[in-house]
Structure formats: structure tokens, C-alpha cells
Amino acid sequence: MQLTVAPDYLPPHFGAWYLISGLVGQETGRPVRLHMPGDTRELEDTLARQQEGIAYVNSFSASRLIREQGWILLLKPAAGSDETVIICRADTPYRSLRDVQPHCSIVCADEDVHLIGMRLLEGFGLNEDNTLFYREESEEAILSSVFHGKACIGFLMAEMFDGLSEFGKQQFRVIMRSAIEDICYLLLLHPDSRDSADSVKQAFLNLGHTPAGQAVLSEFRRPEGFSEAQHEEMETMLDLLTTLEN
């Protein structure tokens, strides 16, 4: 069974995902093949070819997979949401979005982060018509683009930025942080693996009930583990994403 993980994870999560896949494989009695694409383009190619198994993806990718390909919603992180930060270099004159001028260059990697970031800009007279936007393929590339002056500001997952070393964070300044709370990563099951839904769901839920699972979840920075995602929550998230897109 394949487990595909979106490439937005922090460096400490890399090893944690291998441990999680091993524990889930033991619990379900089926070997789990972990696939961690290096960037968003590889993720899209992987999901397009994937014919069974599981995916842990951001809300924008999840909504597309559910609506267009019939993937099944299984679980969400029990705590936390996917917030966005807007960053600049620490030595720039920007102290808030009020200081950012039209025709500035913006860099981003993920579509959901882009949608949230652009909505944050709207309140300061900035939009897609008076800014220059380009896309990178990874969170690390965003940091590099902003640091080397290729972009004035960057949109980044807050968890990714917060997970940087103190030295790393000192190279940048956060000039805006979202507080939406309704958007989070989701664990999905391929429709051709629907017969495994109960066993896969229980395997992830059980991670929080064993010493080995609890240790991995702490390394994963999700000590609360996973919880069931209610249909109403998913509808709220999909409606919010539709609103952001429009």
C-alpha cells in the first residue's frame, strides 16, 4: 500500500514519516511503501499515477482529489491548522504589509498558501493585477528566493517557518500571519482502496495509544495524533477554499 506525503514537511518529519509508515504497516498487516515527492510538480505527477493507498496532502489538493477523483476523507490532525505567514528579509524596510508597494515580487509554492496570502494582501491595496507573482517548487526555494532578493516577499506555511532554527528565523521577518483555523492537512484514501478504510483509519488513530506511536507523533510535532474528520468540517473547508479561489 502506497503512502504519498506532500512535500511541505519539516526536516525532522522526514524520519518520522518512515516510522509512521512502518507502524501503520504492522497494524494493518500490509507493507506501506512511503513516497515523499521532492516538490509540488512531482507530487501532482505521483498522485495522478497512484492507483491505490493513502495520501497526506494540503486542503487544496485534498479538495481536488475528493471532488474530481473520488478520494475518501479519512482523518485530520487532532490539533493545529495550516496557517500562512508572509515573510521578507530581515534587513528590508518592511515592518508590515502597509510598507509593501505595488509591483513587488511575490514567491510561493502551494496553491492553498497562495490563495490565503493573496487574500491577506487585498486589505492593503495589493492584488494579482499590481504584483508580480511566480512559483517555486518547494518551501526551501521560497526561503532562498526571498533571502537572495529574487522576491520582495514570500508566502510560506507558518509551521514550516516556525520550525526553522533560531538562526534561520533571524534572517527573515514575518510581516503577516493568517488566523483562519479552518484549513488543515488531510489523510485521504484512494477509492480503489476503500475496503481498507476501517483498518487504515484505526491504524493511524492507534498511534496515540502505544509508546512507540506516541514517540513518533511527538517527533512529528503532532503529539495529539489524528482524529476523525467530520463531513460538516470538510464541507466548511471546501466552501472556504472555493471562496478564496473566487
Side-chain angles (χ1 to χ4, degrees):
M1 180 166 54
Q2 179 171 322
L3 168 57
T4 300
V5 177
D8 307 320
Y9 45 82
L10 300 170
H13 293 178
F14 189 84
W17 272 114
Y18 276 94
L19 295 173
I20 288 173
S21 63
L23 292 172
V24 170
Q26 292 175 16
E27 182 79 17
T28 59
R30 298 181 59 189
V32 175
R33 304 181 306 278
L34 181 63
H35 189 79
M36 304 179 78
D39 55 45
T40 53
R41 185 172 301 169
E42 185 183 350
L43 173 66
E44 292 174 359
D45 291 342
T46 298
L47 292 171
R49 295 193 308 268
Q50 188 166 339
Q51 297 180 352
E52 52 80 39
I54 319 162
Y56 185 72
V57 294
N58 63 42
S59 50
F60 186 86
S61 296
S63 67
R64 178 176 54 80
L65 291 171
I66 291 170
R67 286 171 163 168
E68 298 178 8
Q69 300 180 32
W71 284 64
I72 301 163
L73 175 63
L74 285 185
L75 300 169
K76 65 173 186 175
S81 58
D82 296 334
E83 302 296 348
T84 293
V85 293
I86 300 179
I87 63 169
C88 62
R89 267 186 64 126
D91 58 0
T92 66
Y94 301 152
R95 290 296 183 272
S96 76
L97 283 179
R98 292 183 180 86
D99 301 321
V100 180
Q101 299 300 310
H103 310 297
C104 70
S105 54
I106 304 169
V107 62
C108 182
D110 297 311
E111 184 62 28
D112 56 342
V113 173
H114 174 237
L115 291 173
I116 295 170
M118 293 308 297
R119 288 298 177 265
L120 294 175
L121 293 184
E122 285 182 352
F124 299 88
L126 301 172
N127 53 55
E128 293 182 353
D129 294 329
N130 63 7
T131 56
L132 306 174
F133 174 78
Y134 70 95
R135 189 178 301 279
E136 290 285 7
E137 297 297 331
S138 69
E139 307 282 330
E140 291 80 5
I142 295 172
L143 293 170
S144 177
S145 292
V146 174
F147 182 78
H148 290 102
K150 185 178 178 181
C152 300
I153 58 175
F155 300 160
L156 197 68
M157 286 182 59
E159 185 181 31
M160 174 69 180
F161 182 82
D162 294 341
L164 296 176
S165 67
E166 287 305 312
F167 177 78
K169 284 188 278 193
Q170 289 170 5
Q171 311 310 305
F172 304 93
R173 178 182 299 120
V174 175
I175 55 177
M176 179 62 79
R177 181 183 291 258
S178 70
I180 296 177
E181 298 183 353
D182 288 324
I183 294 178
C184 65
Y185 267 60
L186 296 168
L187 192 72
L188 307 182
L189 185 71
H190 192 280
D192 288 346
S193 296
R194 66 177 65 250
D195 291 344
S196 302
D198 290 340
S199 62
V200 171
K201 181 184 296 185
Q202 199 58 51
F204 276 92
L205 291 174
N206 286 347
L207 290 172
H209 302 301
T210 65
Q214 291 170 351
V216 174
L217 290 173
S218 295
E219 181 72 15
F220 187 48
R221 299 187 183 179
R222 289 280 188 264
E224 300 87 355
F226 294 87
S227 65
E228 297 209 38
Q230 302 300 319
H231 178 73
E232 293 77 10
E233 293 177 302
M234 188 62 207
E235 287 299 318
T236 298
M237 188 181 302
L238 293 177
D239 289 344
L240 177 57
L241 288 170
T242 300
T243 300
L244 290 173
E245 289 181 273
N246 295 333

